[in-house]
Amino acid sequence: VDTPGALAVSQKHFITAAGNYTLPAPGSVKNGESITVASAPGIEPTISVSGGSQINTDKGADTEVIVNGDIQAEFVMTGTQWEV
């Protein structure tokens, strides 16, 4: 993906441009659906949820997650929130 914007469900996205990318709002996604995100080295895209919902992480809930080139992140819908 080379243009910031919305990320599609059930796909793996390899991001090559910095910027803000959005996950669909919780009410529009089924429980268990996922989105996988990886980024090119040196690119640190910001992932947030359309509508401003929080994302559950191992450090707690936050409104955005930064993905760097060292990881591949899988965002999974838990029914009411995204979890990474």
Side-chain angles (χ1 to χ4, degrees):
V1 178
D2 60 2
T3 304
L7 299 171
V9 174
S10 301
Q11 292 187 13
K12 181 176 181 179
H13 301 275
F14 183 72
I15 296 175
T16 59
N20 296 315
Y21 295 82
T22 55
L23 304 170
S28 66
V29 181
K30 295 178 185 173
N31 189 28
E33 288 189 307
S34 66
I35 296 174
T36 302
V37 176
S39 64
I43 303 297
E44 294 187 345
T46 301
I47 311 297
S48 61
V49 180
S50 179
S53 295
Q54 293 191 330
I55 301 168
N56 289 327
T57 72
D58 61 348
K59 296 179 182 178
D62 206 336
T63 56
E64 61 186 27
V65 172
I66 296 173
V67 177
N68 64 38
D70 296 336
I71 66 166
Q72 174 176 295
E74 182 176 18
F75 296 86
V76 179
M77 174 51 61
T78 62
T80 58
Q81 283 186 302
W82 287 99
E83 184 172 299
V84 65

